[in-house]
Amino acid sequence: MGHEDQENGIFRARLIACGYSQIPGVDFTDNFAPVINDVTYRILLVASIVWNLTTKIIDFETAFLHGDLEQEIYMDCPEGLESEPDECVLLQKTIYGLVQSARQFFKKLIQVLKSVGFKGGSADPCLMTKRCNKGIVFIACYVDDCLCCGHEEAINESIEQIKNSGFTLKVEDEMTDYLSCNILYSNDKKKAWLGQPHLIRSLEKKFEHLV
């Protein structure tokens, strides 16, 4: 599958597996990726306001290429790869299209976070916490997007540690939206509003013929 990058005109292609052909119980077992609870997410926003903490959004690029496979997964040789008619390829890592890719990435992410000092809570397995001499950091995991909340120096140090683990990250320093919610702060950063105005516009468009 390919598409043209609208910014620079470069044609990009991505190899994707035909996940619909996978057999449950053979090619995968569990296929879900845990995500942060919406209550936990709102509590973090309140904590960032009350304690005047820094918030950043981390987006993991090509996230699903980092997961470790627990089953042997074979696939047909992709077009353009020289091969014999009866040859196939054995995947060494997850790729996009596999049913278990999101779950395996989550496992890999938690493994990496624990290796750099983060600990998980029993109340929400997607909330990871780290305390160090530079402060405290909370990371809320939602598949390949993470909300970081904490002291700025501690966050920056943690981001560098995650990068050194082999991930490529895109970091947003200004938090204006997360998980399809717009976030609006007051000028003094002591209040915040969550909203989904795009959903209202979508509903208006859907039912405009009834008005």
Side-chain angles (χ1 to χ4, degrees), residues 101-115:
S101 288
R103 180 172 179 81
Q104 295 308 117
F105 168 72
F106 174 80
K107 287 185 174 183
K108 185 70 173 184
L109 175 59
I110 296 301
Q111 176 185 335
V112 168
L113 291 178
K114 288 183 176 180
S115 71

Side-chain angles (χ1 to χ4, degrees), residues 2-159:
H3 70 278
E4 185 176 353
D5 192 315
Q6 297 298 323
E7 294 183 2
N8 52 28
I10 297 176
F11 189 82
R12 302 177 186 277
R14 173 179 288 170
L15 177 64
I16 296 179
C18 298
Y20 56 80
S21 65
Q22 290 182 260
I23 302 173
V26 177
D27 298 317
F28 66 91
T29 50
D30 294 330
N31 62 352
F32 62 90
V35 295
I36 192 71
N37 187 285
D38 60 339
V39 175
T40 307
Y41 162 53
R42 293 197 295 270
I43 290 174
L44 277 183
L45 288 179
V46 173
S48 69
I49 294 171
V50 174
W51 295 334
N52 193 29
L53 299 176
T54 298
T55 55
K56 295 187 179 185
I57 301 294
I58 297 178
D59 179 25
F60 289 82
E61 298 185 354
T62 60
F64 291 176
L65 304 183
H66 293 276
D68 297 319
L69 281 170
E70 298 174 354
Q71 297 87 13
E72 284 190 357
I73 304 293
Y74 294 88
M75 64 181 292
D76 292 334
C77 295
E79 185 178 348
L81 178 65
E82 295 184 5
S83 61
E84 298 297 326
D86 60 344
E87 286 185 327
C88 61
V89 295
L90 172 65
L91 297 181
Q92 300 298 313
K93 290 279 188 177
T94 56
I95 63 173
Y96 285 83
L98 289 180
V99 174
Q100 66 265 52
S101 288
R103 180 172 179 81
Q104 295 308 117
F105 168 72
F106 174 80
K107 287 185 174 183
K108 185 70 173 184
L109 175 59
I110 296 301
Q111 176 185 335
V112 168
L113 291 178
K114 288 183 176 180
S115 71
V116 297
F118 281 88
K119 296 181 179 180
S122 56
D124 193 329
C126 296
L127 178 65
M128 305 295 289
T129 309
K130 177 182 177 181
R131 294 179 182 272
C132 61
N133 57 359
K134 294 183 179 180
I136 189 171
V137 183
F138 300 98
I139 290 187
C141 305
Y142 193 99
V143 191
D144 60 343
D145 288 321
C146 289
L147 166 63
C148 287
C149 177
H151 297 101
E152 187 167 13
E153 288 190 6
I155 289 178
N156 292 337
E157 180 183 73
S158 297
I159 289 176

